[in-house]
Amino acid sequence: MSKTRALNLARVASQPIAQYDPGTMSISAAIELNTSLGTTTAITDDTQRDSYYTFLCVKIHSGSKLVVSDLFGCADPYAKVGLVHYYAKDKPIKKPFLKTKVIKKNINPKWREKANTEYNDEKFIKFEVWDDDFMIDDFMGEAYIDIQDMLKKNEDSIPIADNTIHKDQVLAMALAQAPEIALTLQSRYRKKDKVSGTIIVAVAFTRIKKNT
């Protein structure tokens, strides 16, 4: 798969809820953050960008119309979220920074869980949904968000936290303002997985100046 096709597929996978302009937060939210815990500054060159740590927060809210994966007409879904460098590789997430609880007997789960992690130039946020099983968990679908594209389009509205103490607070406020995104679940590359449904997620970013 070419790099261009992979990026296009990753963008097409996300379907908007209401009017979604891919990004992390609104300008009004950035102004609010600027007057409280942090500031917002456009970082326009690599040298300047290298002087900051970048953190992201992901919330996985829910799933809808997920595939039925057991003999009783239901499923026990949970989700994993990780950062990856490649799109559509036939490997599960090795080190998820977020793994939700299992929702028993429900193909419309409400997870409402979130987690923060440091961003280190990975290209995609990968989401996987699995059915919790006694022996081997069953794959229920995956989806991707192009992180670099999201950062590029919203460089001037990413809040900068004053220090590490404020980081989690800034991320929480940014996440509260971030639009929800509906991601269509898809099968693994070159696999004929039985998948269906969508997951609802939100993503927010912040930066912290190094040596603070």
Side-chain angles (χ1 to χ4, degrees):
M1 178 182 291
S2 69
K3 181 178 179 182
T4 300
R5 182 168 180 263
L7 292 174
N8 288 338
L9 284 172
R11 293 179 185 127
V12 168
S14 62
Q15 300 296 325
I17 292 180
Q19 294 182 346
Y20 170 59
D21 181 13
T24 59
M25 58 187 302
S26 65
I27 295 299
S28 61
I31 293 172
E32 179 182 352
L33 287 169
N34 186 44
T35 59
S36 56
L37 298 177
T39 59
T40 58
T41 304
I43 299 176
T44 56
D45 62 82
D46 291 337
T47 301
Q48 188 180 11
R49 191 174 294 108
D50 288 343
S51 64
Y52 290 85
Y53 296 109
T54 300
F55 293 86
L56 63 88
C57 183
V58 171
K59 179 178 181 179
I60 181 161
H61 183 272
S62 60
S64 177
K65 298 180 180 179
L66 303 183
V67 65
V68 172
S69 58
D70 63 29
L71 298 176
F72 304 101
C74 206
D76 304 320
Y78 67 92
K80 296 193 296 184
V81 187
L83 303 181
V84 297
H85 288 282
Y86 302 101
Y87 177 83
K89 290 292 185 180
D90 185 22
K91 292 182 180 179
I93 298 171
K94 290 184 178 180
K95 296 180 179 179
F97 67 88
L98 171 58
K99 182 178 180 180
T100 70
K101 60 183 176 292
V102 175
I103 305 296
K104 293 290 187 180
K105 296 180 174 56
N106 197 327
I107 59 171
N108 298 291
K110 306 291 186 185
W111 291 297
R112 299 190 181 96
E113 296 187 42
K114 62 184 178 180
N116 305 341
T117 190
E118 185 176 354
Y119 168 67
N120 292 297
D121 294 324
E122 294 89 353
K123 290 182 171 60
F124 302 100
I125 307 172
K126 183 179 182 181
F127 301 83
E128 295 175 353
V129 181
W130 295 83
D131 175 38
D132 184 57
D133 209 341
F134 179 70
M135 296 294 291
I136 300 176
D137 293 352
D138 297 317
F139 179 78
M140 298 179 68
E142 65 181 27
Y144 295 79
I145 288 179
D146 185 333
I147 310 175
Q148 294 182 350
D149 184 62
M150 181 178 282
L151 284 170
K152 182 179 179 180
K153 289 182 177 179
N154 296 273
E155 192 65 67
D156 61 351
S157 62
I158 296 174
I160 296 177
D162 294 332
N163 52 55
T164 55
I165 295 175
H166 288 156
K167 170 178 66 68
D168 291 345
Q169 295 171 283
V170 172
L171 278 171
M173 292 179 67
L175 189 66
Q177 296 288 336
E180 292 185 335
I181 312 168
L183 299 175
T184 301
L185 294 175
Q186 55 194 312
S187 63
R188 291 167 288 191
Y189 183 53
R190 292 182 176 175
K191 294 281 188 179
K192 295 182 179 180
D193 301 305
K194 184 181 178 182
V195 302
S196 69
T198 58
I199 54 174
I200 308 301
V201 306
V203 182
F205 295 88
T206 190
R207 287 196 170 100
I208 300 175
K209 193 170 182 63
K210 294 180 180 179
N211 299 321
T212 59

